[in-house]
Amino acid sequence: MKRVVVGLSGGVDSSVAAYLLKEQGYEVIGLFMKNWHDDSVTISNECPWLEDSNDALMVAEKLGIPFQTVDLSEQYKEKIVDYMFNEYENGRTPNPDVLCNREIKFDVFMKIALELGADYVATGHYCRKEEEVITLEDGTTKTVYKLLAGADPNKDQSYFLCQLSQEQLAKALFPIGELLKPQVREIAAEMDLITADKKDSQGLCFIGKVRLPEFLQQQLKPKDGFIYEIPKDAPLFTKTALPENSSLEEQLYQEAKAYEYTPDMGKKVGEHYGAHFFTTGQRKGLNVGGTVEPLFIIATDVKENIIYTGQGSQHPGLFHKSLFVKENEIHWIREDLTLEVGETMSILARIRYRQPLQKATLYRMKDGLYVRFEEPQSAITEGQFVSWHINDELIGSGVISKL
């Protein structure tokens, strides 16, 4: 009998994942990850992990499966929280959920599971996995593991797993990937699981509710600065056309290059408490009124501690046609599809969770990878992940870099 360790989070999705695996004849062990107990940094006034661990224990007892709690708070602080502080301090916007899956759930946690004799690790993610045997150029065959979108289009979570490797996918199971969320709740209710009607968790992966500005202020010091508004018709938005003999790489570079703002391009409209607390595309939290359209952040300058804004969601400063991923931050789930320098590939891409997939082309260059979209994209944000797909398969991803 194959042994599976399920990451029981105390939520309905992982509860039903554990139930389904047991029904399928696996030997199931429930494991709860405790990811936080650092009193020097308060996550929130609530303590959701205690309630979650109790709920996970009650689900395990109901299903008749062994249950343990593992304390991964030290690794979580080092690999996720410290990284978050560092990224924000440097003016980038990290995605802790993607990192948590790569560094914690499918690395530290997976190693613990394998030490318990597990054949697989299962989670309550809404995504699917398939295996395919492919023939390599030398005639040998190899099994590749495909990461596919979840069957529920409203809940597809494959984006959060965009940094997984073939080795991690080989050992992963996603039991609810073929189900819709209402079906999952229905199964939980039929089995009388305590999590059946529990709300989906919000906030940081496996930690819960976090008020990000307050959280960041506990480590990053507030620093008063000014907010400037850049008009829509500012000269820098009418980029001068490149010479006719410009290379493709020069065109892509210009399309991906961040606009460079200075205070004299606009007018001072307010003050803020630290540029590193804000991110591109943000609308709330500026506390500046009196404009015809809402102000959106079009850039932050953490060195000079300045926030640049523009009026309206269609402000030209929000849009770019291309983005860039550095050489060392390109990640292929499907290593067999890796592009060599000079090669291109038509793909679908997204730059944030739940964004509809966008038509785009990958261009592999010497120093990295460009993603050029058919339509200009709003609020491409440094530090976030871009994922690329063929149909409903996620084949690779990378960290968006500033040019």
PDB file of all heavy atoms in Angstrom, residues 183-218:
ATOM      1  N   GLN A 183     -18.347  21.161  -5.139  1.00  0.00           N
ATOM      2  CA  GLN A 183     -18.306  19.706  -4.966  1.00  0.00           C
ATOM      3  C   GLN A 183     -17.448  19.329  -3.755  1.00  0.00           C
ATOM      4  O   GLN A 183     -17.772  18.402  -3.011  1.00  0.00           O
ATOM      5  CB  GLN A 183     -17.722  19.048  -6.229  1.00  0.00           C
ATOM      6  CG  GLN A 183     -18.613  19.160  -7.450  1.00  0.00           C
ATOM      7  CD  GLN A 183     -17.928  18.606  -8.698  1.00  0.00           C
ATOM      8  OE1 GLN A 183     -16.840  19.034  -9.067  1.00  0.00           O
ATOM      9  NE2 GLN A 183     -18.569  17.636  -9.344  1.00  0.00           N
ATOM     10  N   VAL A 184     -16.350  20.068  -3.560  1.00  0.00           N
ATOM     11  CA  VAL A 184     -15.464  19.804  -2.419  1.00  0.00           C
ATOM     12  C   VAL A 184     -16.222  20.052  -1.111  1.00  0.00           C
ATOM     13  O   VAL A 184     -16.173  19.239  -0.179  1.00  0.00           O
ATOM     14  CB  VAL A 184     -14.195  20.690  -2.505  1.00  0.00           C
ATOM     15  CG1 VAL A 184     -13.385  20.619  -1.215  1.00  0.00           C
ATOM     16  CG2 VAL A 184     -13.332  20.261  -3.687  1.00  0.00           C
ATOM     17  N   ARG A 185     -16.939  21.167  -1.047  1.00  0.00           N
ATOM     18  CA  ARG A 185     -17.706  21.478   0.173  1.00  0.00           C
ATOM     19  C   ARG A 185     -18.809  20.434   0.400  1.00  0.00           C
ATOM     20  O   ARG A 185     -19.110  20.065   1.538  1.00  0.00           O
ATOM     21  CB  ARG A 185     -18.312  22.878   0.070  1.00  0.00           C
ATOM     22  CG  ARG A 185     -17.266  23.984   0.192  1.00  0.00           C
ATOM     23  CD  ARG A 185     -17.857  25.253   0.770  1.00  0.00           C
ATOM     24  NE  ARG A 185     -16.873  26.317   0.857  1.00  0.00           N
ATOM     25  CZ  ARG A 185     -16.025  26.491   1.871  1.00  0.00           C
ATOM     26  NH1 ARG A 185     -16.026  25.629   2.883  1.00  0.00           N
ATOM     27  NH2 ARG A 185     -15.166  27.502   1.877  1.00  0.00           N
ATOM     28  N   GLU A 186     -19.402  19.974  -0.700  1.00  0.00           N
ATOM     29  CA  GLU A 186     -20.462  18.961  -0.609  1.00  0.00           C
ATOM     30  C   GLU A 186     -19.924  17.657  -0.012  1.00  0.00           C
ATOM     31  O   GLU A 186     -20.546  17.064   0.874  1.00  0.00           O
ATOM     32  CB  GLU A 186     -21.000  18.698  -2.027  1.00  0.00           C
ATOM     33  CG  GLU A 186     -22.382  18.093  -2.069  1.00  0.00           C
ATOM     34  CD  GLU A 186     -22.878  17.973  -3.512  1.00  0.00           C
ATOM     35  OE1 GLU A 186     -22.996  19.011  -4.201  1.00  0.00           O
ATOM     36  OE2 GLU A 186     -23.106  16.834  -3.938  1.00  0.00           O
ATOM     37  N   ILE A 187     -18.754  17.243  -0.476  1.00  0.00           N
ATOM     38  CA  ILE A 187     -18.126  16.015   0.052  1.00  0.00           C
ATOM     39  C   ILE A 187     -17.827  16.186   1.535  1.00  0.00           C
ATOM     40  O   ILE A 187     -18.079  15.291   2.356  1.00  0.00           O
ATOM     41  CB  ILE A 187     -16.836  15.679  -0.735  1.00  0.00           C
ATOM     42  CG1 ILE A 187     -17.176  15.257  -2.171  1.00  0.00           C
ATOM     43  CG2 ILE A 187     -16.031  14.581  -0.033  1.00  0.00           C
ATOM     44  CD1 ILE A 187     -15.975  15.187  -3.106  1.00  0.00           C
ATOM     45  N   ALA A 188     -17.287  17.359   1.908  1.00  0.00           N
ATOM     46  CA  ALA A 188     -16.955  17.618   3.313  1.00  0.00           C
ATOM     47  C   ALA A 188     -18.205  17.576   4.188  1.00  0.00           C
ATOM     48  O   ALA A 188     -18.183  17.055   5.313  1.00  0.00           O
ATOM     49  CB  ALA A 188     -16.253  18.973   3.439  1.00  0.00           C
ATOM     50  N   ALA A 189     -19.317  18.119   3.660  1.00  0.00           N
ATOM     51  CA  ALA A 189     -20.576  18.116   4.417  1.00  0.00           C
ATOM     52  C   ALA A 189     -21.110  16.690   4.569  1.00  0.00           C
ATOM     53  O   ALA A 189     -21.561  16.290   5.650  1.00  0.00           O
ATOM     54  CB  ALA A 189     -21.604  19.001   3.720  1.00  0.00           C
ATOM     55  N   GLU A 190     -21.038  15.918   3.489  1.00  0.00           N
ATOM     56  CA  GLU A 190     -21.507  14.516   3.531  1.00  0.00           C
ATOM     57  C   GLU A 190     -20.732  13.706   4.561  1.00  0.00           C
ATOM     58  O   GLU A 190     -21.269  12.844   5.236  1.00  0.00           O
ATOM     59  CB  GLU A 190     -21.338  13.871   2.147  1.00  0.00           C
ATOM     60  CG  GLU A 190     -22.417  14.267   1.155  1.00  0.00           C
ATOM     61  CD  GLU A 190     -22.101  13.778  -0.259  1.00  0.00           C
ATOM     62  OE1 GLU A 190     -21.148  12.978  -0.408  1.00  0.00           O
ATOM     63  OE2 GLU A 190     -22.793  14.201  -1.204  1.00  0.00           O
ATOM     64  N   MET A 191     -19.443  14.002   4.683  1.00  0.00           N
ATOM     65  CA  MET A 191     -18.574  13.279   5.625  1.00  0.00           C
ATOM     66  C   MET A 191     -18.606  13.898   7.019  1.00  0.00           C
ATOM     67  O   MET A 191     -17.904  13.440   7.920  1.00  0.00           O
ATOM     68  CB  MET A 191     -17.135  13.252   5.096  1.00  0.00           C
ATOM     69  CG  MET A 191     -16.944  12.454   3.832  1.00  0.00           C
ATOM     70  SD  MET A 191     -17.656  10.790   3.994  1.00  0.00           S
ATOM     71  CE  MET A 191     -16.736  10.170   5.399  1.00  0.00           C
ATOM     72  N   ASP A 192     -19.403  14.968   7.163  1.00  0.00           N
ATOM     73  CA  ASP A 192     -19.537  15.655   8.448  1.00  0.00           C
ATOM     74  C   ASP A 192     -18.183  16.141   8.978  1.00  0.00           C
ATOM     75  O   ASP A 192     -17.882  16.006  10.168  1.00  0.00           O
ATOM     76  CB  ASP A 192     -20.220  14.724   9.464  1.00  0.00           C
ATOM     77  CG  ASP A 192     -20.755  15.491  10.674  1.00  0.00           C
ATOM     78  OD1 ASP A 192     -21.050  16.696  10.529  1.00  0.00           O
ATOM     79  OD2 ASP A 192     -20.843  14.896  11.762  1.00  0.00           O
ATOM     80  N   LEU A 193     -17.387  16.701   8.088  1.00  0.00           N
ATOM     81  CA  LEU A 193     -16.085  17.241   8.497  1.00  0.00           C
ATOM     82  C   LEU A 193     -16.270  18.649   9.048  1.00  0.00           C
ATOM     83  O   LEU A 193     -17.039  19.452   8.496  1.00  0.00           O
ATOM     84  CB  LEU A 193     -15.121  17.268   7.304  1.00  0.00           C
ATOM     85  CG  LEU A 193     -14.782  15.917   6.660  1.00  0.00           C
ATOM     86  CD1 LEU A 193     -13.820  16.098   5.495  1.00  0.00           C
ATOM     87  CD2 LEU A 193     -14.188  14.948   7.685  1.00  0.00           C
ATOM     88  N   ILE A 194     -15.555  18.967  10.092  1.00  0.00           N
ATOM     89  CA  ILE A 194     -15.710  20.253  10.783  1.00  0.00           C
ATOM     90  C   ILE A 194     -15.376  21.440   9.866  1.00  0.00           C
ATOM     91  O   ILE A 194     -15.824  22.562  10.083  1.00  0.00           O
ATOM     92  CB  ILE A 194     -14.830  20.293  12.058  1.00  0.00           C
ATOM     93  CG1 ILE A 194     -15.201  21.498  12.916  1.00  0.00           C
ATOM     94  CG2 ILE A 194     -13.345  20.283  11.711  1.00  0.00           C
ATOM     95  CD1 ILE A 194     -14.558  21.499  14.293  1.00  0.00           C
ATOM     96  N   THR A 195     -14.604  21.176   8.808  1.00  0.00           N
ATOM     97  CA  THR A 195     -14.158  22.248   7.903  1.00  0.00           C
ATOM     98  C   THR A 195     -15.122  22.523   6.752  1.00  0.00           C
ATOM     99  O   THR A 195     -14.859  23.385   5.919  1.00  0.00           O
ATOM    100  CB  THR A 195     -12.786  21.876   7.312  1.00  0.00           C
ATOM    101  OG1 THR A 195     -12.889  20.570   6.711  1.00  0.00           O
ATOM    102  CG2 THR A 195     -11.706  21.855   8.378  1.00  0.00           C
ATOM    103  N   ALA A 196     -16.241  21.795   6.697  1.00  0.00           N
ATOM    104  CA  ALA A 196     -17.146  21.860   5.527  1.00  0.00           C
ATOM    105  C   ALA A 196     -17.560  23.282   5.170  1.00  0.00           C
ATOM    106  O   ALA A 196     -17.605  23.647   3.995  1.00  0.00           O
ATOM    107  CB  ALA A 196     -18.370  20.987   5.764  1.00  0.00           C
ATOM    108  N   ASP A 197     -17.877  24.084   6.183  1.00  0.00           N
ATOM    109  CA  ASP A 197     -18.359  25.452   5.927  1.00  0.00           C
ATOM    110  C   ASP A 197     -17.318  26.512   6.286  1.00  0.00           C
ATOM    111  O   ASP A 197     -17.641  27.702   6.325  1.00  0.00           O
ATOM    112  CB  ASP A 197     -19.656  25.718   6.711  1.00  0.00           C
ATOM    113  CG  ASP A 197     -20.780  24.797   6.263  1.00  0.00           C
ATOM    114  OD1 ASP A 197     -20.927  24.607   5.037  1.00  0.00           O
ATOM    115  OD2 ASP A 197     -21.486  24.252   7.134  1.00  0.00           O
ATOM    116  N   LYS A 198     -16.114  26.081   6.549  1.00  0.00           N
ATOM    117  CA  LYS A 198     -15.072  27.030   6.972  1.00  0.00           C
ATOM    118  C   LYS A 198     -14.665  27.917   5.806  1.00  0.00           C
ATOM    119  O   LYS A 198     -14.480  27.444   4.682  1.00  0.00           O
ATOM    120  CB  LYS A 198     -13.861  26.254   7.493  1.00  0.00           C
ATOM    121  CG  LYS A 198     -12.816  27.110   8.183  1.00  0.00           C
ATOM    122  CD  LYS A 198     -11.762  26.211   8.832  1.00  0.00           C
ATOM    123  CE  LYS A 198     -10.672  27.031   9.471  1.00  0.00           C
ATOM    124  NZ  LYS A 198      -9.660  26.147  10.113  1.00  0.00           N
ATOM    125  N   LYS A 199     -14.536  29.211   6.072  1.00  0.00           N
ATOM    126  CA  LYS A 199     -14.136  30.144   5.025  1.00  0.00           C
ATOM    127  C   LYS A 199     -12.723  29.844   4.556  1.00  0.00           C
ATOM    128  O   LYS A 199     -11.883  29.382   5.323  1.00  0.00           O
ATOM    129  CB  LYS A 199     -14.185  31.588   5.548  1.00  0.00           C
ATOM    130  CG  LYS A 199     -15.581  32.168   5.630  1.00  0.00           C
ATOM    131  CD  LYS A 199     -15.505  33.621   6.052  1.00  0.00           C
ATOM    132  CE  LYS A 199     -16.898  34.234   6.143  1.00  0.00           C
ATOM    133  NZ  LYS A 199     -16.832  35.612   6.656  1.00  0.00           N
ATOM    134  N   ASP A 200     -12.458  30.162   3.279  1.00  0.00           N
ATOM    135  CA  ASP A 200     -11.103  29.986   2.751  1.00  0.00           C
ATOM    136  C   ASP A 200     -10.155  30.939   3.471  1.00  0.00           C
ATOM    137  O   ASP A 200     -10.501  32.082   3.760  1.00  0.00           O
ATOM    138  CB  ASP A 200     -11.068  30.283   1.244  1.00  0.00           C
ATOM    139  CG  ASP A 200     -11.795  29.214   0.457  1.00  0.00           C
ATOM    140  OD1 ASP A 200     -12.059  28.138   1.018  1.00  0.00           O
ATOM    141  OD2 ASP A 200     -12.109  29.461  -0.722  1.00  0.00           O
ATOM    142  N   SER A 201      -8.945  30.461   3.729  1.00  0.00           N
ATOM    143  CA  SER A 201      -7.975  31.302   4.436  1.00  0.00           C
ATOM    144  C   SER A 201      -7.501  32.422   3.521  1.00  0.00           C
ATOM    145  O   SER A 201      -7.404  32.268   2.309  1.00  0.00           O
ATOM    146  CB  SER A 201      -6.780  30.471   4.901  1.00  0.00           C
ATOM    147  OG  SER A 201      -6.110  29.935   3.781  1.00  0.00           O
ATOM    148  N   GLN A 202      -7.210  33.551   4.145  1.00  0.00           N
ATOM    149  CA  GLN A 202      -6.691  34.707   3.409  1.00  0.00           C
ATOM    150  C   GLN A 202      -5.302  35.027   3.955  1.00  0.00           C
ATOM    151  O   GLN A 202      -4.979  34.691   5.072  1.00  0.00           O
ATOM    152  CB  GLN A 202      -7.603  35.933   3.617  1.00  0.00           C
ATOM    153  CG  GLN A 202      -9.035  35.713   3.165  1.00  0.00           C
ATOM    154  CD  GLN A 202      -9.157  35.540   1.663  1.00  0.00           C
ATOM    155  OE1 GLN A 202      -8.441  36.166   0.912  1.00  0.00           O
ATOM    156  NE2 GLN A 202     -10.041  34.669   1.226  1.00  0.00           N
ATOM    157  N   GLY A 203      -4.512  35.706   3.148  1.00  0.00           N
ATOM    158  CA  GLY A 203      -3.231  36.199   3.665  1.00  0.00           C
ATOM    159  C   GLY A 203      -2.077  35.272   3.372  1.00  0.00           C
ATOM    160  O   GLY A 203      -2.115  34.487   2.427  1.00  0.00           O
ATOM    161  N   LEU A 204      -1.054  35.358   4.201  1.00  0.00           N
ATOM    162  CA  LEU A 204       0.185  34.630   3.934  1.00  0.00           C
ATOM    163  C   LEU A 204      -0.026  33.130   4.011  1.00  0.00           C
ATOM    164  O   LEU A 204      -0.734  32.628   4.877  1.00  0.00           O
ATOM    165  CB  LEU A 204       1.261  35.014   4.957  1.00  0.00           C
ATOM    166  CG  LEU A 204       2.007  36.322   4.738  1.00  0.00           C
ATOM    167  CD1 LEU A 204       3.081  36.466   5.794  1.00  0.00           C
ATOM    168  CD2 LEU A 204       2.646  36.370   3.365  1.00  0.00           C
ATOM    169  N   CYS A 205       0.652  32.430   3.120  1.00  0.00           N
ATOM    170  CA  CYS A 205       0.591  30.979   3.026  1.00  0.00           C
ATOM    171  C   CYS A 205       0.768  30.322   4.403  1.00  0.00           C
ATOM    172  O   CYS A 205       1.788  30.492   5.048  1.00  0.00           O
ATOM    173  CB  CYS A 205       1.709  30.552   2.084  1.00  0.00           C
ATOM    174  SG  CYS A 205       2.215  28.864   2.205  1.00  0.00           S
ATOM    175  N   PHE A 206      -0.236  29.590   4.823  1.00  0.00           N
ATOM    176  CA  PHE A 206      -0.205  28.805   6.064  1.00  0.00           C
ATOM    177  C   PHE A 206      -0.003  29.648   7.320  1.00  0.00           C
ATOM    178  O   PHE A 206       0.374  29.150   8.353  1.00  0.00           O
ATOM    179  CB  PHE A 206       0.875  27.713   6.012  1.00  0.00           C
ATOM    180  CG  PHE A 206       0.329  26.410   5.515  1.00  0.00           C
ATOM    181  CD1 PHE A 206       0.231  26.162   4.167  1.00  0.00           C
ATOM    182  CD2 PHE A 206      -0.132  25.455   6.399  1.00  0.00           C
ATOM    183  CE1 PHE A 206      -0.294  24.964   3.701  1.00  0.00           C
ATOM    184  CE2 PHE A 206      -0.660  24.261   5.945  1.00  0.00           C
ATOM    185  CZ  PHE A 206      -0.734  24.013   4.599  1.00  0.00           C
ATOM    186  N   ILE A 207      -0.217  30.953   7.242  1.00  0.00           N
ATOM    187  CA  ILE A 207      -0.127  31.780   8.446  1.00  0.00           C
ATOM    188  C   ILE A 207      -1.464  32.448   8.727  1.00  0.00           C
ATOM    189  O   ILE A 207      -1.925  32.510   9.839  1.00  0.00           O
ATOM    190  CB  ILE A 207       0.987  32.846   8.311  1.00  0.00           C
ATOM    191  CG1 ILE A 207       2.349  32.168   8.448  1.00  0.00           C
ATOM    192  CG2 ILE A 207       0.848  33.900   9.381  1.00  0.00           C
ATOM    193  CD1 ILE A 207       3.508  33.109   8.460  1.00  0.00           C
ATOM    194  N   GLY A 208      -2.096  32.950   7.689  1.00  0.00           N
ATOM    195  CA  GLY A 208      -3.400  33.567   7.891  1.00  0.00           C
ATOM    196  C   GLY A 208      -3.374  35.060   7.663  1.00  0.00           C
ATOM    197  O   GLY A 208      -2.547  35.581   6.925  1.00  0.00           O
ATOM    198  N   LYS A 209      -4.317  35.734   8.314  1.00  0.00           N
ATOM    199  CA  LYS A 209      -4.518  37.163   8.058  1.00  0.00           C
ATOM    200  C   LYS A 209      -3.290  37.986   8.433  1.00  0.00           C
ATOM    201  O   LYS A 209      -2.749  37.829   9.508  1.00  0.00           O
ATOM    202  CB  LYS A 209      -5.726  37.660   8.855  1.00  0.00           C
ATOM    203  CG  LYS A 209      -7.046  37.066   8.408  1.00  0.00           C
ATOM    204  CD  LYS A 209      -8.161  37.532   9.307  1.00  0.00           C
ATOM    205  CE  LYS A 209      -9.452  36.799   8.948  1.00  0.00           C
ATOM    206  NZ  LYS A 209     -10.500  37.081   9.906  1.00  0.00           N
ATOM    207  N   VAL A 210      -2.914  38.856   7.528  1.00  0.00           N
ATOM    208  CA  VAL A 210      -1.786  39.746   7.784  1.00  0.00           C
ATOM    209  C   VAL A 210      -2.133  41.117   7.217  1.00  0.00           C
ATOM    210  O   VAL A 210      -2.538  41.224   6.073  1.00  0.00           O
ATOM    211  CB  VAL A 210      -0.509  39.246   7.062  1.00  0.00           C
ATOM    212  CG1 VAL A 210       0.635  40.211   7.305  1.00  0.00           C
ATOM    213  CG2 VAL A 210      -0.127  37.865   7.542  1.00  0.00           C
ATOM    214  N   ARG A 211      -1.975  42.144   8.017  1.00  0.00           N
ATOM    215  CA  ARG A 211      -2.073  43.504   7.489  1.00  0.00           C
ATOM    216  C   ARG A 211      -0.671  43.882   7.046  1.00  0.00           C
ATOM    217  O   ARG A 211       0.184  44.214   7.875  1.00  0.00           O
ATOM    218  CB  ARG A 211      -2.585  44.463   8.560  1.00  0.00           C
ATOM    219  CG  ARG A 211      -4.043  44.276   8.903  1.00  0.00           C
ATOM    220  CD  ARG A 211      -4.479  45.342   9.904  1.00  0.00           C
ATOM    221  NE  ARG A 211      -5.900  45.273  10.181  1.00  0.00           N
ATOM    222  CZ  ARG A 211      -6.848  45.774   9.406  1.00  0.00           C
ATOM    223  NH1 ARG A 211      -6.535  46.370   8.273  1.00  0.00           N
ATOM    224  NH2 ARG A 211      -8.120  45.682   9.736  1.00  0.00           N
ATOM    225  N   LEU A 212      -0.434  43.793   5.747  1.00  0.00           N
ATOM    226  CA  LEU A 212       0.933  43.894   5.239  1.00  0.00           C
ATOM    227  C   LEU A 212       1.657  45.176   5.649  1.00  0.00           C
ATOM    228  O   LEU A 212       2.803  45.102   6.102  1.00  0.00           O
ATOM    229  CB  LEU A 212       0.934  43.710   3.719  1.00  0.00           C
ATOM    230  CG  LEU A 212       2.270  43.296   3.103  1.00  0.00           C
ATOM    231  CD1 LEU A 212       2.825  42.030   3.742  1.00  0.00           C
ATOM    232  CD2 LEU A 212       2.132  43.094   1.615  1.00  0.00           C
ATOM    233  N   PRO A 213       1.055  46.353   5.517  1.00  0.00           N
ATOM    234  CA  PRO A 213       1.802  47.562   5.913  1.00  0.00           C
ATOM    235  C   PRO A 213       2.272  47.512   7.364  1.00  0.00           C
ATOM    236  O   PRO A 213       3.420  47.808   7.670  1.00  0.00           O
ATOM    237  CB  PRO A 213       0.794  48.695   5.687  1.00  0.00           C
ATOM    238  CG  PRO A 213      -0.155  48.164   4.667  1.00  0.00           C
ATOM    239  CD  PRO A 213      -0.255  46.698   4.963  1.00  0.00           C
ATOM    240  N   GLU A 214       1.358  47.094   8.287  1.00  0.00           N
ATOM    241  CA  GLU A 214       1.741  47.017   9.702  1.00  0.00           C
ATOM    242  C   GLU A 214       2.829  45.963   9.916  1.00  0.00           C
ATOM    243  O   GLU A 214       3.764  46.146  10.685  1.00  0.00           O
ATOM    244  CB  GLU A 214       0.524  46.676  10.577  1.00  0.00           C
ATOM    245  CG  GLU A 214      -0.440  47.830  10.760  1.00  0.00           C
ATOM    246  CD  GLU A 214      -1.588  47.779   9.771  1.00  0.00           C
ATOM    247  OE1 GLU A 214      -1.348  47.384   8.605  1.00  0.00           O
ATOM    248  OE2 GLU A 214      -2.708  48.133  10.139  1.00  0.00           O
ATOM    249  N   PHE A 215       2.679  44.838   9.222  1.00  0.00           N
ATOM    250  CA  PHE A 215       3.661  43.756   9.331  1.00  0.00           C
ATOM    251  C   PHE A 215       5.040  44.237   8.888  1.00  0.00           C
ATOM    252  O   PHE A 215       6.040  44.049   9.578  1.00  0.00           O
ATOM    253  CB  PHE A 215       3.176  42.584   8.466  1.00  0.00           C
ATOM    254  CG  PHE A 215       4.096  41.387   8.472  1.00  0.00           C
ATOM    255  CD1 PHE A 215       4.538  40.850   9.665  1.00  0.00           C
ATOM    256  CD2 PHE A 215       4.493  40.797   7.287  1.00  0.00           C
ATOM    257  CE1 PHE A 215       5.374  39.737   9.682  1.00  0.00           C
ATOM    258  CE2 PHE A 215       5.320  39.686   7.286  1.00  0.00           C
ATOM    259  CZ  PHE A 215       5.759  39.152   8.490  1.00  0.00           C
ATOM    260  N   LEU A 216       5.087  44.906   7.739  1.00  0.00           N
ATOM    261  CA  LEU A 216       6.368  45.381   7.212  1.00  0.00           C
ATOM    262  C   LEU A 216       6.982  46.459   8.105  1.00  0.00           C
ATOM    263  O   LEU A 216       8.200  46.530   8.267  1.00  0.00           O
ATOM    264  CB  LEU A 216       6.191  45.917   5.783  1.00  0.00           C
ATOM    265  CG  LEU A 216       5.826  44.880   4.719  1.00  0.00           C
ATOM    266  CD1 LEU A 216       5.529  45.566   3.395  1.00  0.00           C
ATOM    267  CD2 LEU A 216       6.937  43.856   4.532  1.00  0.00           C
ATOM    268  N   GLN A 217       6.128  47.297   8.707  1.00  0.00           N
ATOM    269  CA  GLN A 217       6.638  48.380   9.543  1.00  0.00           C
ATOM    270  C   GLN A 217       7.334  47.885  10.798  1.00  0.00           C
ATOM    271  O   GLN A 217       8.086  48.618  11.430  1.00  0.00           O
ATOM    272  CB  GLN A 217       5.492  49.325   9.935  1.00  0.00           C
ATOM    273  CG  GLN A 217       5.137  50.315   8.837  1.00  0.00           C
ATOM    274  CD  GLN A 217       3.973  51.198   9.213  1.00  0.00           C
ATOM    275  OE1 GLN A 217       3.984  51.815  10.258  1.00  0.00           O
ATOM    276  NE2 GLN A 217       2.967  51.250   8.364  1.00  0.00           N
ATOM    277  N   GLN A 218       7.106  46.626  11.152  1.00  0.00           N
ATOM    278  CA  GLN A 218       7.778  46.100  12.332  1.00  0.00           C
ATOM    279  C   GLN A 218       9.262  45.831  12.070  1.00  0.00           C
ATOM    280  O   GLN A 218      10.044  45.709  13.006  1.00  0.00           O
ATOM    281  CB  GLN A 218       7.082  44.833  12.807  1.00  0.00           C
ATOM    282  CG  GLN A 218       5.682  45.123  13.334  1.00  0.00           C
ATOM    283  CD  GLN A 218       4.929  43.860  13.642  1.00  0.00           C
ATOM    284  OE1 GLN A 218       5.274  43.151  14.575  1.00  0.00           O
ATOM    285  NE2 GLN A 218       3.916  43.573  12.865  1.00  0.00           N
TER     286      GLN A 218
END
